[in-house]
Amino acid sequence: MSHLSMRPRTLAVGVTLTAAALSIAPASLAGARVTFTPVQATAATAPCNIAALPVPHGWQGGVVDVNDSGVLVGSALDPDGHLHPTYWTPDGAGFVRHSPKLAAEGELLDVNNAGVAVGFDEDAHQGFVLNTVTGTFGYLPDMAGGQSDRPRRINSAGVIAGAASDPNGTWVATTWAPPYNRAHQVGVPYEQQLMTWTDPDTGEVYTWIAGSEADGINDAGTLAVFTADPDPHAMRAHGHSKFSRYPGDEQPLDSSGVPAVPMTKTASGRLNTLHTTGDQAYTFALNDTGIVVGDDVSNPDTYDTRPVYWIGSSERDLGLPADAQGGRALNIDGTWATGFLYYGDGTTRAYVWTGAGLLQTMPDLAGFTGGTMAHGVDQALREVAGLAFAADGSHVPVMWRCPAGFSTDE
């Protein structure tokens, strides 16, 4: 499956935690708990046209972002399993594929309107910058003493947000600014604190250092961040786990997991913790007015998530259909947001939301019956981009273009 899928979040050294292992909400930070009520039985299908993007015969691929010029970035997977950073440019009624011969095997993850893209090298475990206009390529520097980094977004000024490992191997929220000669640690609460957790089923003890990750940045430099919260006052005291906030602390607390806390941090350093209605939440992107999109873990037992957005600190629901098991909100441009829904039969459906009303799912690609996923969105072009699955799980890159005047508030 493409890397657009729900990958594990590595928040700490010593153990790679899937989001399912981070299952407790910070009660002191959460808003009033709300029981989500589905507001539509089945999502309407958006009246948008779908087109497959070119890849070599026998290859697969996916799109992760699109800019105002229609440049789409992502990856192409060859038959031998090698992942090639790839971008597509409009050419009349079609598209031209570009897979530059880079010293990298991986994918492009974001592109700004100047055509500067950021990506990740799967082999080197390092991020890179590619100018799709000039062809300039370069790796991003690690944190001083660190060993790897993972960029995620780039804004109009070329500032990149993501995460990098510190000298101890802990992943921390990080930014890089032109000329990309150093990594800057964002600095958010709770990161780099010793934590221990005992699996209540097996008795196995895990010890790690709390980390953080910045998956969104807007043109004002505000970051969308999530972090592991080890504050015992923000933990629900139940279960059989043990927790210690600082090295040498001899006052363990019973808890059943570690919450992922969503927040934003402005360029001037102002922090805003986002309220959650589920057990925890993740931030993935934000627009220039500060609206953040992500997902809320509404069921900590199954790790089912709901696509949500935040205005200020307040969480809002995008309208998960009753027939969907869960979903995620992965990107926003202007007022348009996109992501995917997932269903009990294992399929997924891409969707779009234009800032009001209820999300609408995207049409399928003819002959591809395995569903769709979306990650890229551009309001100016009325485009959504992602991938379409065949019945055997293989996938091709696709983009949808919606008609002028289209709105989900209809």
Side-chain angles (χ1 to χ4, degrees):
M1 182 176 286
S2 162
H3 286 201
L4 297 178
S5 61
M6 295 181 284
R7 64 178 176 83
R9 296 282 164 180
T10 307
L11 293 180
V13 65
V15 59
T16 299
L17 293 177
T18 63
L22 303 175
S23 59
I24 295 299
S28 63
L29 300 178
R33 289 194 172 272
V34 175
T35 300
F36 284 115
T37 301
V39 289
Q40 52 182 337
T42 302
T45 300
C48 307
N49 295 322
I50 185 172
L53 303 179
V55 292
H57 178 71
W59 288 41
Q60 303 179 56
V63 182
V64 186
D65 195 38
V66 55
N67 70 8
D68 284 354
S69 298
V71 177
L72 303 113
V73 298
S75 62
L77 184 69
D78 69 30
D80 294 325
H82 300 295
L83 200 61
H84 300 263
T86 302
Y87 64 96
W88 295 262
T89 53
D91 180 32
F95 298 88
V96 175
R97 177 185 58 87
H98 309 265
S99 289
K101 296 186 181 300
L102 306 175
E105 178 174 326
E107 57 188 335
L108 298 175
L109 297 170
D110 200 28
V111 61
N112 65 17
N113 288 332
V116 181
V118 62
F120 181 69
D121 184 331
E122 298 281 347
D123 289 336
H125 301 288
Q126 196 157 3
F128 60 85
V129 179
L130 171 68
N131 189 315
T132 64
V133 178
T134 66
T136 304
F137 170 87
Y139 281 105
L140 293 172
D142 293 329
M143 196 77 68
Q147 301 176 345
S148 55
D149 57 66
R150 187 173 57 229
R152 188 59 194 88
R153 306 279 185 188
I154 184 169
N155 69 6
S156 62
V159 180
I160 295 167
S165 63
D166 69 10
N168 295 317
T170 302
W171 288 95
V172 293
T174 304
T175 59
W176 297 262
Y180 308 119
N181 53 12
R182 66 182 292 265
H184 170 72
Q185 184 174 342
V186 173
V188 294
Y190 317 127
E191 65 185 6
Q192 295 176 297
Q193 297 183 40
L194 180 67
M195 304 178 72
T196 61
W197 180 77
T198 302
D199 188 322
D201 298 320
T202 67
E204 188 171 1
V205 179
Y206 297 86
T207 301
W208 70 95
I209 305 296
S212 60
E213 183 170 326
D215 276 358
I217 185 170
N218 65 14
D219 286 348
T222 298
L223 296 160
V225 185
F226 60 84
T227 182
D229 179 1
D231 186 345
H233 299 293
M235 308 282 284
R236 286 185 295 174
H238 70 278
H240 305 285
S241 305
K242 294 296 180 181
F243 164 82
S244 180
R245 183 174 184 182
Y246 296 109
D249 186 349
E250 297 180 354
Q251 297 180 349
L253 176 77
D254 283 343
S255 64
S256 62
V258 183
V261 181
M263 60 183 66
T264 60
K265 185 174 184 178
T266 66
S268 63
R270 185 172 63 87
L271 283 161
N272 178 35
T273 300
L274 307 179
H275 296 171
T276 62
T277 49
D279 275 320
Q280 61 179 319
Y282 292 92
T283 55
F284 292 116
L286 76 165
N287 67 9
D288 288 339
T289 65
I291 297 175
V292 181
V293 296
D295 57 49
D296 188 300
V297 183
S298 54
N299 187 332
D301 296 321
T302 63
Y303 186 60
D304 283 325
T305 58
R306 302 183 66 89
V308 298
Y309 65 102
W310 289 268
I311 296 178
S313 299
S314 177
E315 184 184 85
R316 314 286 178 88
D317 190 17
L318 280 173
L320 182 71
D323 65 337
Q325 183 176 334
R328 313 195 89 168
L330 297 176
N331 208 347
I332 185 169
D333 180 66
T335 62
W336 283 42
T338 194
F340 66 91
L341 308 175
Y342 58 91
Y343 297 83
D345 63 359
T347 60
T348 58
R349 293 291 301 275
Y351 69 81
V352 66
W353 181 72
T354 63
L358 304 174
L359 62 83
Q360 295 185 20
T361 56
M362 307 305 286
D364 291 332
L365 182 67
F368 284 75
T369 60
T372 55
M373 297 178 76
H375 198 294
V377 62
D378 188 272
Q379 179 176 347
L381 298 179
R382 308 184 308 279
E383 289 184 357
V384 175
L387 55 109
F389 291 99
D392 63 1
S394 60
H395 50 81
V396 296
V398 299
M399 61 83 65
W400 295 265
R401 182 173 290 123
C402 301
F406 167 71
S407 171
T408 54
D409 189 22
E410 294 178 346

